[in-house]
Amino acid sequence: MSRIAVFGPASELTEAIIDCLSRQDGQVVRVATAAVNPLAPANEDAIAAAFDGLGAITGLVCVTLDPRSTATGPLSWARWTEASRGIATIALLGLRHGGPLVQPGGAIVLVAAPGPSDPASEAAHGILLGLSRGASGGFAARGIRVNRVATDFTRNAADQAEAVAFLVSDAARFVTGADIGRGRQEER
Amino acid sequence: MASAATVVTGAAGGIGSAIAARLAGAGRRLVLIDRRPPELPAGADGISLACDIADPASVAAAFQHIGLRVQCIDGLVNVAGRNLTASIEDMQVADWHAMLDVNVGGMLAIADAVLPLMDTAANPVIVNMASVAGYMASADHPAYVATKAGVEGLSQGLSHLLGPRGIRVHTVAPGWVDTGFTHAATASLSAAEAEALLSRAANQHLLRRIARPDEIADVVLWLLSPKARYLHGTTLFVDGGLMRVH
Ligand SMILES: NC(=O)c1ccc[n+]([C@@H]2O[C@H](COP(=O)([O-])OP(=O)(O)OC[C@H]3O[C@@H](n4cnc5c(N)ncnc54)[C@H](O)[C@@H]3O)[C@@H](O)[C@H]2O)c1
């Protein structure tokens, strides 16, 4: 019986993933979305608390979101900070606090909600991809798969959710360190 | 008008200093950047500055100074980078952010600072240093893998933004290179263990040896030259065939 935790900020993509997974057998658990503020992702204690008491899971989906604020120039440090923290740090903290709950044979998927496409966000998406590749090594030792779903290969959250559902499913049992999609986004 | 200059970050390090030496040999004017002022190669024309690329105030101060001495920049080689040995579980968030900000954000910040001086350059090029590590699983260095994959994402974003302005952007991904960076990885090992690790590393490459820094530098020099004028947004593996083994 599967038990999949969906962790991440409130977003259309988060809802689409929960929707899609709920149509399959097994249990879907939302991990306190309010604890994940993409503008203050270093709020690690709240994230740790959100996973507290969750118990064993077979799958973990970490949804990330670039909180672009319009006041920042495309190459400014402020823009870099929000994109990198919103996408990459949220994923790291989801992996760190949710990863240990995933049982051997389980799967983790990192995914980013559609958002802006500028050098800062492209870099942050690259880091998310690299984090899934890098982490696949440590988690493989525990029999857990780690993959990423990119943002733009389809143009809507429902299709992205299908890819996520596939990667946490048993059909993808030999897929790890992989990537579905290319990573560029529609707002280019 | 004084000739255009080429900026190299991480120029005190193994790969950066080799690039600076090759650029000087080709008669290029240099702007060398590192945490401490790097040494200018003998006979080279240019300036050398201390700058923390992950600190916006430090970058602003450095480029205020550079702007007084240099009117035009035709090349940026983003080499500065660091490593972090820590599993996902053990990693401090502050260390993770430092990795992000040096290995990726610093490259973005330096590109931002250089761009206003690139407008008049005849052959403007940005080269960002990634690594084959950005493609590989690693239990010990997930932050390094993540940030090196991030460099390729950054280059991709910059190539879209800057291509229409005629500025070429490239990523170079070395395999193992014989520098202090590599030796740091063996520092905690016994001589025999270090020897075994380096021999395993050599055997990961189809050419059966790790690279010398000048072998990375020669490729960077070619990418900066007009000979590569129609190459844009590519990732060049300078890895002795390592990616063909993995
Ligand atoms: N040596 C290898 O095997 C290898 C392989 C692939 C990629 N690389 C990459 O090549 C680049 C250079 O590596 P290297 O082997 O010459 O290493 P190195 O350690 O000799 O040089 C790195 C330099 O970057 C500088 N630096 C670090 N943080 C900085 C900061 N915040 N501001 C300014 N300068 C800073 C350091 O002071 C150092 O001089 C790095 O980006 C590294 O990731 C190295």
Side-chain angles (χ1 to χ4, degrees), chain B residues 13-15 34-35 51-53 79 130 144 148 175 177 179 181-182:
Chain B
I15 295 174
D34 206 300
R35 285 179 298 197
C51 169
D52 176 354
I53 62 166
V79 182
Y144 188 69
K148 287 296 163 181
V177 186
T179 70
F181 193 91
T182 296

Side-chain angles (χ1 to χ4, degrees), chain A residues 80 85 89 96 122 133-134, chain B residues 88-89 91 97 101 134 138:
Chain A
W80 159 252
R85 274 50 170 180
T89 302
R96 195 220 293 281
E122 294 294 322
R133 284 178 183 151
Chain B
I88 302 261
E89 291 73 32
M91 198 182 297
H97 284 157
D101 290 348
S138 168

